[in-house]
Amino acid sequence: MTNLNHTPPDVTATGDITSSSLRSAELRKDFKQKIPELLQLERLMREHNNLLHANCEAKLYYENMEFPLYSLTLGSRAPNAPTMLFTGGIHGIERIGSQVLIAWLQTLLERLQWDAGLQQQLQQLQLVIVPIMNPVGMYLNQRANGNGVDLNRNAPIDAEGPVPLLGGGHRLGPFLPWYRGRKRGQMEAENIALEQVIQRQVFNRPFAAVLDLHSGLGMQDRLWFPHAYRKKPIGNIADYVALKMLWERSYPNHTYLFEPQSIHYLSHGDLWDYFYYQSRAQNQAHFLPLTLEMGSWLWVKKSPRQLFNMAGLFNPQIQHRHTRVLRRHIVLLDFMLAATLNHHNWLPDEKQTGILNQTAKSLWF
Ligand SMILES: [Zn+2]
C-alpha cells in the first residue's frame, strides 16, 4: 500500500507539481466539493509516479486560488514514436469528458502492472493525456475559463461562412457564452499550454491522432473531425475515411456518428482547425484530431429533472447511468491506441487515397 503523504511528487522542467497536500485544509475541502476530478488525478499521479510522467504546463489563478494544468505522458520516449493525445474538460461544465479520461487512465495504470500485451504496446507508442484542460471553468461549473473565454472559440482562425448566432463564437464580451476573447489578443493560457504540449510531443511524428472529449446537446455520440471553419473537405480526409471504416468494420455494434463538424455548423476559433494547419506548416503528413461529442440528451431524456440544472444538461447524474458512460467509451479509447500504433496497416496509399477522397465527397459534401 502506497503511503500517499510520503510519495514525492514528480518534479519537472516547468516546476513543482502542485500537490493537494500543499493546499490548505479549507481549500482542499472546497476543491473536493467543486473539482474532485483534480484531486483524483493528483492521487493517481502520486500513486503511479513510476509509470506516469506528469508535467504542470501552466498555473492558472482565480480569486487567489491556484489551479494546475497537467499533462501526463506514458509509454515510449522515442522522438519518432506514433502519438495519441487525449484531452478533456475544455468546456468546464462538460466534466464527464475529464471523468471518462481519468477512469480510463486508472484502468490503464492497473493493467500495466500485469498485462504484458499492454506494456509492449506502450513501449512503441507515446500516450499523452491532458484530462482537465479548463480547471477554473470546471471549478466554477461553467463552459468558459476563468476569464469568461470559450477555449474552443479562442484560436486565431475565422469561419468562412455564417455561424450560429453567439454559439459560433463572438466578440461581444465575456458576459455572454461562446466569447472568443479579444481580437488579435494572445490565446488564453490554457490554449498556450496545450499548444506547448502539441509542439513538444505531438508534431514531427510519423503519425499522431487526438481525441478531445466533450458532451453536448444531441441524442447520439458523435465523432467530429475538422473543418469547423469552412465547409470544404480537410486535406487528409482520406485518412479519416479509412479510420472510420476501420472502426466500423472492427466494432459494428457501436453507433458513433463519424462526420466532419462543418456539416452541422461552422464556428470561429476552433482549436483543432488551428492545430491542423500548424501540423501542415510543419509538414506533418498524418495528424488526425477528432472530437468526441457525447450525446447528453440521452441522459436528459431518461431523467427529465436534469433539465432544471445546467450541469445536468451536460453530465449524467444518476449513479448507474454515470458508470455506464464511464464504461461505454473504453472500447473507443483502446481502439484509438491500437489504430495509432498500427497506423501503417490501415493508412491509405496513394491510389486508395484517390478513392477515399471520392467516398468522402459522396458521404458528406
Ligand atoms: Zn464542449
Side-chain angles (χ1 to χ4, degrees):
M1 182 87 183
T2 320
N3 183 335
L4 298 186
N5 294 325
H6 294 98
T7 310
D10 196 352
V11 177
T12 66
T14 318
D16 292 342
I17 293 297
T18 312
S19 136
S20 52
S21 61
L22 297 177
R23 297 190 186 105
S24 70
E26 202 185 335
L27 195 55
R28 272 208 303 277
K29 203 173 142 200
D30 188 38
F31 273 35
K32 205 173 165 185
Q33 271 176 2
K34 295 183 186 156
I35 185 165
E37 294 85 356
L38 182 63
L39 302 189
Q40 194 190 354
L41 184 65
E42 288 178 338
R43 201 189 65 225
L44 283 180
M45 282 158 45
R46 286 195 303 274
E47 286 178 348
H48 298 277
N49 67 353
N50 55 330
L51 289 170
L52 266 180
H53 178 80
N55 197 35
C56 179
E57 302 291 343
K59 288 176 178 169
L60 307 159
Y61 296 91
Y62 181 79
E63 289 187 345
N64 295 325
M65 288 177 286
E66 185 184 285
F67 296 79
L69 199 169
Y70 293 122
S71 75
L72 310 169
T73 304
L74 282 120
S76 172
R77 290 304 180 89
N80 61 351
T83 293
M84 183 66 219
L85 167 66
F86 291 98
T87 53
I90 281 188
H91 294 134
I93 197 164
E94 299 165 20
R95 56 201 322 141
I96 184 67
S98 301
Q99 293 166 358
V100 166
L101 283 179
I102 294 168
W104 178 71
L105 174 64
Q106 188 163 11
T107 298
L108 217 58
L109 290 166
E110 285 303 323
R111 276 181 54 200
L112 276 171
Q113 318 283 342
W114 55 266
D115 183 342
L118 183 63
Q119 290 164 359
Q120 222 169 31
Q121 196 183 27
L122 278 170
Q123 277 165 14
Q124 304 166 63
L125 167 91
Q126 181 191 217
L127 167 61
V128 186
I129 311 179
V130 186
I132 305 178
M133 262 291 295
N134 178 8
V136 179
M138 192 171 288
Y139 174 86
L140 297 171
N141 221 1
Q142 66 182 28
R143 179 180 172 97
N145 73 355
N147 298 328
V149 175
D150 185 330
L151 294 176
N152 206 26
R153 300 288 185 273
N154 178 238
I157 185 162
D158 293 331
E160 283 186 350
V163 303
L165 188 68
L166 298 181
H170 65 83
R171 296 204 195 272
L172 297 173
F175 45 88
L176 288 169
W178 304 290
Y179 176 55
R180 299 179 64 185
R182 281 210 308 271
K183 200 170 182 175
R184 282 186 277 277
Q186 264 199 328
M187 284 200 294
E188 293 295 296
E190 294 87 341
N191 287 343
I192 290 174
L194 179 62
E195 180 165 34
Q196 177 178 299
V197 173
I198 290 178
Q199 291 284 357
R200 188 181 67 220
Q201 285 179 265
V202 178
F203 286 163
N204 300 309
R205 307 259 162 180
F207 180 91
V210 181
L211 188 66
D212 179 26
L213 280 75
H214 291 251
S215 60
L217 306 180
M219 290 296 284
Q220 257 201 301
D221 295 328
R222 291 161 199 275
L223 285 165
W224 280 354
F225 58 87
H227 298 113
Y229 85 107
R230 71 195 308 192
K231 288 204 178 284
K232 287 185 192 147
I234 194 166
N236 63 350
I237 199 156
D239 291 356
Y240 281 103
V241 179
L243 184 66
K244 168 185 158 69
M245 287 162 63
L246 185 73
W247 165 258
E248 288 171 357
R249 277 202 311 267
S250 307
Y251 295 96
N253 299 318
H254 274 265
T255 54
Y256 295 92
L257 284 178
F258 201 121
E259 53 200 11
Q261 182 190 323
S262 63
I263 65 172
H264 293 280
Y265 62 92
L266 300 183
S267 60
H268 297 300
D270 185 271
L271 282 171
W272 305 112
D273 281 350
Y274 172 69
F275 289 128
Y276 171 75
Y277 281 101
Q278 281 204 332
S279 80
R280 290 310 243 200
Q282 300 195 13
N283 295 317
Q284 172 137 356
H286 302 291
F287 175 66
L288 278 74
L290 284 160
T291 301
L292 167 60
E293 292 282 341
M294 294 178 254
S296 64
W297 282 0
L298 284 174
W299 315 323
V300 176
K301 193 180 69 171
K302 290 179 182 164
S303 178
R305 255 183 320 158
Q306 287 194 199
L307 272 173
F308 300 105
N309 77 65
M310 271 303 276
L313 286 176
F314 294 96
N315 302 284
Q317 294 194 309
I318 294 173
Q319 181 63 31
H320 72 266
R321 200 158 291 137
H322 183 249
T323 50
R324 190 187 304 148
V325 175
L326 295 187
R327 290 195 300 272
R328 184 188 183 104
H329 303 287
I330 289 177
V331 176
L332 175 69
L333 273 56
D334 288 344
F335 166 81
M336 289 304 299
L337 280 194
T340 297
L341 178 57
N342 299 288
H343 59 93
H344 42 268
N345 289 335
W346 60 267
L347 275 178
D349 62 23
E350 213 174 300
K351 193 174 148 211
Q352 292 163 333
T353 296
I355 298 168
L356 294 178
N357 281 335
Q358 287 306 317
T359 312
K361 281 210 177 100
S362 64
L363 280 172
W364 300 305
F365 299 97

